[in-house]
Amino acid sequence: MNTVRLVLADDHALVRQGLRSLLELTPDLRVVGEASDGEEALRKVAELQPDVVLMDVRMPRMTGLEALRALRRTDAERRVVLLTTFDEDAVLIEALRLGVQGFLLKDVSLEELAEAIRRVASGQTLLPPGVAERVARGMAELPRDFPHADLPEGLTRREVEVLRLIARGLSNREIADALGTAEGTVKNQTSSILSKLGVRDRTRAVLRAMELGCL
């Protein structure tokens, strides 16, 4: 069993202790360092080279978002999960643009927390359905300094339909049910969408389509 090494960053010691206590119950997850603000988190990441950084959005001296922005200047591939209450859409959108891999509520269960960390460590992006819908609304409301673009060449009408359902947070099975087709067909269409948009996962596909004015 591969062990996922973690750095926790939160300005509340009790929160860090609670998260560590939960994670210590899971044999394949190990907390190797803690930080109380963004600056300390950056130092810990550089020193310990964790697989995943679990970081609060709001911290003194340097927030989680500021730390993520600074981290991306030197470490574009580090897996980062933000701990948040999902109360600021603009923060979510900016974090996604900076390449965050996931969001978690602080009151998440142990099973959900552990599974989310494993998924992010394996290369997936974790964006809960409710957040996907809020990000979509937020993107529509933000001012844009680039012109409306046509659909990328080769994207079919059905692929656009699938992309819009992905943006609503639906799973492949739910999309298949909505469109009256097979789940395998939706998986193939999703792979085609990712390829045509030049992205690696569903979240980036939605964000790219929003930037292009496709949704």
Side-chain angles (χ1 to χ4, degrees):
M1 182 184 298
N2 294 327
T3 299
V4 178
R5 302 170 68 253
L6 300 158
V7 162
L8 302 179
D10 193 292
D11 58 315
H12 295 98
L14 288 177
V15 172
R16 295 197 308 273
Q17 292 170 9
L19 287 171
R20 178 186 280 274
S21 297
L22 284 174
L23 295 170
E24 286 177 347
L25 299 174
T26 309
D28 61 327
L29 304 177
R30 182 161 67 95
V31 177
V32 296
E34 296 182 18
S36 59
D37 60 53
E39 291 182 359
E40 187 179 7
L42 292 175
R43 291 195 298 270
K44 291 291 186 179
V45 170
E47 174 190 351
L48 301 170
Q49 297 294 306
D51 300 306
V52 176
V53 183
L54 201 58
M55 186 158 53
D56 187 19
V57 170
R58 294 176 177 171
M59 294 184 291
R61 297 177 61 187
M62 178 181 283
T63 67
L65 194 60
E66 290 168 341
L68 175 62
R69 186 178 294 111
L71 181 64
R72 286 296 176 250
R73 298 190 188 107
T74 58
D75 191 342
E77 301 301 322
R78 186 71 54 190
R79 313 299 292 176
V80 177
V81 175
L82 289 181
L83 296 166
T84 178
T85 55
F86 303 148
D87 58 353
E88 293 186 42
D89 293 349
V91 171
L92 300 180
I93 294 165
E94 180 61 18
L96 287 167
R97 285 174 169 164
L98 290 171
V100 76
Q101 282 78 29
F103 295 96
L104 289 176
L105 287 170
K106 287 188 177 181
D107 61 355
V108 68
S109 70
L110 172 59
E111 292 76 15
E112 292 169 329
L113 175 64
E115 181 59 24
I117 292 172
R118 293 188 190 104
R119 287 176 57 186
V120 167
S122 71
Q124 299 181 50
T125 298
L126 181 69
L127 186 63
V131 176
E133 294 175 9
R134 291 187 65 183
V135 169
R137 291 197 299 271
M139 288 291 290
E141 294 168 359
L142 288 177
R144 300 181 178 183
D145 55 3
F146 44 83
H148 176 85
D150 292 330
L151 286 175
E153 185 176 358
L155 202 63
T156 67
R157 182 175 298 180
R158 177 47 65 93
E159 287 170 346
V160 172
E161 292 177 348
V162 171
L163 191 53
R164 286 173 175 163
L165 293 174
I166 290 174
R168 290 173 53 190
L170 273 65
S171 66
N172 286 338
R173 176 168 295 182
E174 290 169 333
I175 293 172
D177 291 342
L179 297 179
T181 188
E183 184 176 356
T185 299
V186 174
K187 289 181 179 178
N188 292 336
Q189 290 167 334
T190 300
S191 296
S192 176
I193 291 168
L194 299 183
S195 176
K196 291 176 181 179
L197 292 178
V199 296
R200 294 183 297 179
D201 57 57
R202 292 158 63 103
T203 301
R204 299 295 186 276
V206 171
L207 291 172
R208 179 60 178 155
M210 290 174 180
E211 289 178 352
L212 293 172
C214 301
L215 297 181

